[in-house]
Amino acid sequence: MDPSALMQRIARHAEVGATGDGGVCRIALTDADREGRDLLVHWMKALDLDIRIDQIGNIFGIRAGLQADAAPVMTGSHIDTVATGGRYDGCYGVMAGLEVVRVLNAQGIRTLRPVAVAAFTNEEGVRFMPDMMGSLVHAGGYPLQRALETVGTDGSVLGEELRRIGYAGGMPCGAILPHAFVELHIEQGPVLEAEGIAIGAVQDLQGISWREITVNGQSNHAGTTPMHLRRDAGYAAAAIAVFVRELAHRFGGSQVATVGSIRLHPNLVNVIASQATLTVDLRNTDESALQRAEAELAGFLQALSMRESVQIETRSLARFEPVRFDDRIVGLIEQSAARRGLSHRRMTSGAGHDAQMMARICPAAMVFVPSQQGISHNPREHTETADLVQGANVLLDVMRKLADEAL
Amino acid sequence: MDPSALMQRIARHAEVGATGDGGVCRIALTDADREGRDLLVHWMKALDLDIRIDQIGNIFGIRAGLQADAAPVMTGSHIDTVATGGRYDGCYGVMAGLEVVRVLNAQGIRTLRPVAVAAFTNEEGVRFMPDMMGSLVHAGGYPLQRALETVGTDGSVLGEELRRIGYAGGMPCGAILPHAFVELHIEQGPVLEAEGIAIGAVQDLQGISWREITVNGQSNHAGTTPMHLRRDAGYAAAAIAVFVRELAHRFGGSQVATVGSIRLHPNLVNVIASQATLTVDLRNTDESALQRAEAELAGFLQALSMRESVQIETRSLARFEPVRFDDRIVGLIEQSAARRGLSHRRMTSGAGHDAQMMARICPAAMVFVPSQQGISHNPREHTETADLVQGANVLLDVMRKLADEAL
């Protein structure tokens, strides 16, 4: 594979919504997203791909197989970003898919099955919730109509925005049922870099439990209120954050736990907080362990509420069960890396990806390449060119293999 | 003392800057503050008081004594409020001072010493820092020029605002050195109400140590970053809040500790916080204990910084040593309460008050009355009329006693 072709495409696409500091702001269904889609479709057409756009705006570029009606082998990811996004998250997988097609075209290779490159709508879920929406609707996990009626953080309606940017397609969602799905993505975590490994063969994906917790206490003077008469929502929030950290260490294994957001009211130096709103993000590859973690948190909140005389309410923001990827495809990834002399390991994805939705309807797996310092959702997101090319080569191998599998 | 006269004054003054929900917004040196000052001066003149305004805008109303040149006995507090203030904090003490004068006038009582009622500029420190500014400058603890040059949160300059509202007086600051100072104030804490006690004889005031702590870690994905590779500023902030709570319980006595403000960046559910900014408010009546608490916090921060691989910086926002009030005046307060058959106790002020500044230059003490649920800096701030009147009566007794003390 030609490194410059891949890198030029990534660089050119990163100009769309460029933030000037190396980052990209291409939030789903904005004008920047339209421009990014237009560029992608332009490239797909230049590669002689057959373009299909479905009713949620997912874009598929299809390269015919020898067996025209066979289930295609699909790769892809997304091209939308967070507000302070990098240039690799999502886009790398789509651009590498185009490169797979370009190489197949250049070498005149005909595969038995069609090869499809997908760009799924609204993976990030920044403006419209939930995230991974396009692939979720494609997989039948979320009603199309409900998705189209989603009201954005800016008050816009998803279906109207989709029409406005010209990507409300006619194809029914889920019309394409792949033979297999392989997503190439930067790790967005520090593991591969820390261990000096080139290729991650992603065998599973953590289950996710997001809860928003609201603590209501009593606002009072920080000097005049004795400790035993306090109903301190701020302390309760801190105690929860410390508890989930301790829980993650105690559970071990794949368990992670994060309190990434805390808001206190009135948030003043000398006033005991009357209210705290915080989020807890729990993840585990084992559904039963994740449920135990959730139960322990619920028990802690109940005891804390009694002990501190505060009211605690929680609501689920997101809940996904762990995903087990297809063992055979994971094996193909390992074989490709081994043949190419690349260090590799099986690993877990801690982040959500479109592949987890596709895994509901077909055999699926993912290829990871290292992320420098694990930084993502950040203009400083970076992966070395050599790592990006190696990942794309592994994708090419696996796609070729899968595309020649018998019907 | 006539309950209706006191309550009418408080109610009338609370119309100035009224927020419509029972509260008052009369931030220092705003138009509302001017209007509140004008009303106060109008009332002082109606009571035949001699008005003096000093260069920092402190207002003094002086009732002559038999010995015209004797050091006066002074009472007073402040009439500025926080943005969501109640009607009693500060204003009660000033209005009760006027009532003391009204009763002396009505009964034709001549005291040996002059009696002065003071309203100090900018006690709250909302718009211009530091708080308790007027009394601090009066006591010689802060240079006048520096105070006048203070730039407000809205970019205004204090000296200009003082002139604008017409309260840049000519009297040198500190020109009046009182024989004694007594401040009547609502408790702003829950102790008197919780114990069913009418009068607090305030014998000391907690030392205050405010620090702002900034934690710098590394922003990373909450799913993909293993626990042992995290540099989580949000967790560090929570650990600090839990530590200071534990410290307060371990120290016991008058020690209180509060983390009232926490801000995380980027403050998102699935991103490990790269930065946390929080405040720690430590108070103790014992300076050596307060220093021990500060040292323990510093030690904890150092260990936390190492353990979590985060950078921690702190800066002092405020530091006041504990204040010991005049034991003889505290005794006079107890005697008055006892003679009037009112339950009373010696107590500590957890909040800062103008009296602590006056204590630097003359014998001083404070009288507290109960605050319902300890709520203050809040429109729901409330004290029962009977409690307010009892407090004013104790103030009257103590002022009379002190005003007849020999030269």
Side-chain angles (χ1 to χ4, degrees):
Chain A
M1 187 167 289
D2 178 10
S4 66
L6 174 65
M7 297 311 291
Q8 277 170 23
R9 253 199 246 280
I10 291 174
R12 171 66 190 91
H13 205 274
E15 292 172 12
V16 182
T19 50
D21 53 359
V24 179
C25 178
R26 205 163 50 224
I27 293 173
L29 311 186
T30 58
D31 289 347
D33 188 24
R34 166 170 41 194
E35 200 184 326
R37 287 165 174 262
D38 289 350
L39 183 57
L40 173 63
V41 168
H42 169 74
W43 282 337
M44 283 179 163
K45 285 180 175 164
L47 290 168
D48 291 326
L49 295 180
D50 180 20
I51 312 291
R52 310 269 178 88
I53 298 171
D54 72 11
Q55 293 170 318
I56 193 65
N58 294 325
I59 300 170
F60 302 92
I62 300 173
R63 182 177 189 266
L66 293 169
Q67 292 271 357
D69 56 350
V73 174
M74 189 181 288
T75 187
S77 190
H78 61 95
I79 61 168
D80 68 315
T81 74
V82 297
T84 58
R87 56 176 60 193
Y88 303 108
D89 175 5
C91 216
Y92 166 51
V94 178
M95 298 304 134
L98 296 186
E99 281 303 295
V100 167
V101 170
R102 200 186 57 78
V103 170
L104 294 178
N105 288 356
Q107 301 186 356
I109 296 169
R110 300 296 308 272
T111 56
L112 188 64
R113 297 171 175 278
V115 168
V117 180
F120 293 107
T121 293
N122 186 32
E123 195 270 351
E124 295 291 2
V126 171
R127 188 179 175 205
F128 299 102
M129 290 280 277
D131 55 355
M132 298 176 275
M133 185 189 277
S135 50
L136 182 58
V137 172
H138 180 91
Y142 200 80
L144 170 66
Q145 199 51 42
R146 195 168 153 205
L148 293 175
E149 289 167 1
T150 306
V151 177
T153 52
D154 55 357
S156 61
V157 176
L158 189 142
E160 291 170 11
E161 286 294 278
L162 200 55
R163 276 197 301 278
R164 186 183 69 79
I165 68 166
Y167 281 87
M171 186 172 76
C173 290
I176 304 174
L177 180 62
H179 170 63
F181 182 83
V182 187
E183 182 172 1
L184 172 64
H185 208 283
I186 59 169
E187 181 196 341
Q188 299 182 282
V191 174
L192 291 176
E193 185 191 45
E195 299 184 2
I197 290 175
I199 296 293
V202 184
Q203 64 182 353
D204 53 8
L205 190 142
Q206 287 181 318
I208 296 177
S209 169
W210 285 359
R211 289 202 92 77
E212 182 182 80
I213 300 174
T214 305
V215 184
N216 279 294
Q218 169 74 52
S219 186
N220 261 318
H221 194 291
T224 59
T225 313
M227 300 309 291
H228 70 280
L229 291 178
R230 294 179 176 219
R231 297 170 52 207
D232 185 342
Y235 166 73
I240 293 165
V242 169
F243 173 79
V244 302
R245 160 68 72 100
E246 178 274 326
L247 178 148
H249 281 298
R250 185 156 44 79
F251 273 49
S254 69
Q255 179 69 53
V256 290
T258 308
V259 171
S261 173
I262 300 177
R263 285 190 174 81
L264 303 187
H265 180 83
N267 207 41
L268 297 171
V269 58
N270 60 341
V271 180
I272 296 163
S274 59
Q275 189 173 71
T277 308
L278 66 152
T279 56
V280 173
D281 175 322
L282 298 172
R283 308 196 193 198
N284 201 307
T285 53
D286 176 349
E287 173 63 21
S288 67
L290 188 55
Q291 287 180 13
R292 277 205 314 281
E294 292 176 312
E296 280 208 17
L297 174 60
F300 177 77
L301 294 180
Q302 197 166 19
L304 183 71
S305 167
M306 303 263 288
R307 176 158 61 86
E308 299 296 326
S309 302
V310 293
Q311 288 186 310
I312 300 182
E313 286 168 20
T314 80
R315 69 184 181 100
S316 174
L317 296 179
R319 183 64 167 84
F320 293 109
E321 287 193 19
V323 174
R324 179 98 207 145
F325 284 128
D326 184 76
D327 204 57
R328 198 174 60 83
I329 302 180
V330 175
L332 292 179
I333 295 166
E334 291 176 308
Q335 286 167 30
S336 163
R339 267 202 312 274
R340 288 178 178 271
L342 302 173
S343 55
H344 57 90
R345 62 164 283 180
R346 291 203 167 209
M347 66 187 299
T348 293
S349 173
H353 292 290
D354 292 310
Q356 80 190 74
M357 302 309 174
M358 297 304 287
R360 296 179 175 207
I361 56 170
C362 67
M366 296 187 72
V367 182
F368 274 179
V369 295
S371 291
Q372 206 167 79
Q373 292 181 67
I375 295 168
S376 186
H377 286 187
N378 190 306
R380 292 187 295 124
E381 178 182 279
H382 185 70
T383 298
E384 293 296 334
T385 299
D387 288 325
L388 293 168
V389 173
Q390 286 161 3
N393 277 325
V394 169
L395 179 67
L396 173 64
D397 293 347
V398 175
M399 292 292 287
R400 278 195 65 175
K401 190 90 176 178
L402 290 166
D404 281 334
E405 285 185 338
L407 303 193
Chain B
M1 187 166 288
D2 178 9
S4 66
L6 174 65
M7 297 311 292
Q8 276 170 24
R9 254 198 246 280
I10 291 173
R12 172 67 190 89
H13 205 275
E15 291 172 13
V16 181
T19 49
D21 53 0
V24 179
C25 177
R26 206 163 49 224
I27 293 173
L29 310 186
T30 58
D31 289 347
D33 189 24
R34 163 166 48 191
E35 200 184 326
R37 287 165 175 262
D38 289 350
L39 183 56
L40 173 63
V41 169
H42 169 74
W43 283 337
M44 283 179 163
K45 285 180 176 164
L47 290 168
D48 290 326
L49 296 180
D50 181 20
I51 312 292
R52 310 269 177 87
I53 298 170
D54 72 11
Q55 293 170 318
I56 193 66
N58 294 324
I59 300 171
F60 303 92
I62 301 173
R63 183 177 188 266
L66 293 169
Q67 291 271 357
D69 56 351
V73 174
M74 190 182 286
T75 187
S77 188
H78 61 96
I79 62 169
D80 68 314
T81 73
V82 297
T84 58
R87 56 176 60 192
Y88 303 108
D89 175 4
C91 215
Y92 166 52
V94 178
M95 298 304 134
L98 296 185
E99 280 304 295
V100 167
V101 170
R102 198 187 57 79
V103 169
L104 293 179
N105 288 357
Q107 301 185 358
I109 296 169
R110 302 295 307 271
T111 56
L112 188 64
R113 296 172 175 278
V115 168
V117 180
F120 293 106
T121 293
N122 186 32
E123 195 270 349
E124 295 290 1
V126 170
R127 188 180 175 204
F128 299 103
M129 289 281 275
D131 54 356
M132 298 178 276
M133 185 188 277
S135 51
L136 182 58
V137 172
H138 179 91
Y142 199 82
L144 171 65
Q145 200 51 41
R146 193 167 155 206
L148 293 175
E149 289 167 1
T150 306
V151 177
T153 53
D154 55 357
S156 60
V157 176
L158 189 142
E160 291 169 11
E161 285 295 280
L162 201 55
R163 277 197 301 278
R164 187 183 68 80
I165 68 165
Y167 280 88
M171 185 171 79
C173 291
I176 304 175
L177 180 62
H179 170 63
F181 182 83
V182 186
E183 182 172 1
L184 173 64
H185 208 283
I186 59 169
E187 181 196 341
Q188 299 182 282
V191 174
L192 292 175
E193 185 191 46
E195 299 184 1
I197 290 175
I199 297 293
V202 184
Q203 64 181 355
D204 53 8
L205 190 140
Q206 287 181 319
I208 296 178
S209 170
W210 286 359
R211 289 202 93 76
E212 183 183 80
I213 300 173
T214 304
V215 183
N216 280 293
Q218 171 73 52
S219 187
N220 262 318
H221 194 291
T224 59
T225 313
M227 299 310 292
H228 71 279
L229 292 178
R230 294 178 177 219
R231 298 170 52 207
D232 186 342
Y235 166 74
I240 293 165
V242 169
F243 173 79
V244 301
R245 161 65 74 97
E246 178 273 327
L247 178 148
H249 282 298
R250 185 156 43 80
F251 273 48
S254 69
Q255 180 69 53
V256 290
T258 308
V259 172
S261 174
I262 301 175
R263 285 190 174 82
L264 303 187
H265 180 82
N267 207 41
L268 297 172
V269 58
N270 59 341
V271 180
I272 296 163
S274 60
Q275 188 173 71
T277 307
L278 65 153
T279 57
V280 173
D281 176 321
L282 298 172
R283 308 197 192 198
N284 201 307
T285 53
D286 176 349
E287 174 62 21
S288 67
L290 188 56
Q291 287 180 12
R292 278 206 314 282
E294 291 176 314
E296 282 208 16
L297 174 60
F300 178 77
L301 294 180
Q302 197 165 20
L304 183 70
S305 168
M306 304 263 286
R307 175 157 61 86
E308 299 296 326
S309 302
V310 292
Q311 288 186 309
I312 301 183
E313 286 167 20
T314 79
R315 68 184 181 104
S316 174
L317 296 178
R319 182 64 166 86
F320 293 110
E321 287 193 18
V323 174
R324 179 98 206 146
F325 284 128
D326 185 75
D327 204 58
R328 199 175 59 83
I329 302 180
V330 176
L332 293 178
I333 295 166
E334 291 177 308
Q335 286 166 29
S336 163
R339 268 202 312 276
R340 288 178 178 272
L342 302 173
S343 55
H344 58 91
R345 62 165 282 178
R346 291 201 169 210
M347 66 187 298
T348 293
S349 173
H353 292 290
D354 292 310
Q356 79 190 72
M357 302 310 173
M358 297 304 288
R360 298 179 173 208
I361 56 170
C362 68
M366 296 187 70
V367 183
F368 274 178
V369 296
S371 290
Q372 206 167 78
Q373 291 182 66
I375 295 168
S376 187
H377 286 186
N378 190 305
R380 291 188 296 124
E381 179 183 278
H382 184 70
T383 298
E384 292 295 332
T385 299
D387 288 325
L388 293 168
V389 172
Q390 286 161 4
N393 277 325
V394 169
L395 179 67
L396 173 64
D397 293 347
V398 175
M399 292 291 288
R400 279 196 64 175
K401 190 91 175 178
L402 290 167
D404 281 333
E405 285 184 340
L407 304 192

